[in-house]
Amino acid sequence: MGDTSQPLRRAALLASGVALLGLLTACGSESASSSGTPEPGKAARSSSAEPGGGSATPGDTAPAVGSAPSDTAGSASASARTDGRCHTSELRASVGRVDPGAGQRNFPVVLTNTSERTCSLYGYPGAAFVDASGKQLGPDPERAPGSPRTVTLTPGESAWSGLSFSSPQISGARTAAPAVLLVTPPDEREPLKVKWTAGEVPVGGNESSVSVTALSPGTGP
């Protein structure tokens, strides 16, 4: 019989080689999967911010639905503010009794709030003497030095301004007898008419100046 051990040894060696190759392949696959190299596409997913993270997302800085931009809100707020100034139609003007002194004639010109709301006056009233036809007599009164302040008038309250001029009998100024004193509240254009019953006033000459003071609370000194 021939020697059969040689073919058997070759078959055993071949089987051992196949087993060893399979073992090496298995080890290589395990090494690749356990390394730090990410799988394709995984790195891109992990570097992007997820919703709710610290990075800004579209809409974070946009105004809420229905809210107005800040400049529009400011304009709306400004338009909503009420004008607290007293208007001519809300006031009544009157002239108090003369207060003579040191060659002067002094009159309190009083503005009274006849409206149903609280309003305010600030500064000097306008004043002008006119005759029966409405023609102005003399120049506009000058503003006496002073520190204007806001006078708040609740319904029925008054503010006053002093109207003063040198006595014509002493100054020798040219005079006229007005029919009406026009009184214009501060920042208004329409005057109030007050019948003038206090006689002649200076309308010309070196000593013809008339002055008014800033408004103060009350009806006079």
mmCIF file of all heavy atoms in Angstrom, residues 24 67 100 199:
data_model
loop_
_atom_site.group_PDB
_atom_site.id
_atom_site.type_symbol
_atom_site.label_atom_id
_atom_site.label_comp_id
_atom_site.label_asym_id
_atom_site.label_seq_id
_atom_site.Cartn_x
_atom_site.Cartn_y
_atom_site.Cartn_z
ATOM 1 N N LEU A 24 -7.825 36.057 12.172
ATOM 2 C CA LEU A 24 -7.238 37.385 11.914
ATOM 3 C C LEU A 24 -8.274 38.360 11.380
ATOM 4 O O LEU A 24 -8.302 39.532 11.724
ATOM 5 C CB LEU A 24 -6.090 37.239 10.911
ATOM 6 C CG LEU A 24 -4.833 36.522 11.422
ATOM 7 C CD1 LEU A 24 -3.827 36.334 10.279
ATOM 8 C CD2 LEU A 24 -4.206 37.306 12.571
ATOM 9 N N SER A 67 -46.466 92.150 18.857
ATOM 10 C CA SER A 67 -45.780 93.237 19.555
ATOM 11 C C SER A 67 -45.283 94.249 18.543
ATOM 12 O O SER A 67 -44.948 93.909 17.418
ATOM 13 C CB SER A 67 -44.606 92.690 20.377
ATOM 14 O OG SER A 67 -43.622 92.161 19.519
ATOM 15 N N PRO A 100 -52.415 150.755 44.603
ATOM 16 C CA PRO A 100 -51.470 151.839 44.324
ATOM 17 C C PRO A 100 -50.293 151.811 45.293
ATOM 18 O O PRO A 100 -50.402 151.326 46.419
ATOM 19 C CB PRO A 100 -52.312 153.090 44.533
ATOM 20 C CG PRO A 100 -53.358 152.693 45.516
ATOM 21 C CD PRO A 100 -53.636 151.244 45.262
ATOM 22 N N GLY A 199 -60.109 153.395 34.318
ATOM 23 C CA GLY A 199 -59.675 154.709 33.842
ATOM 24 C C GLY A 199 -58.564 154.658 32.800
ATOM 25 O O GLY A 199 -58.324 153.626 32.154
#
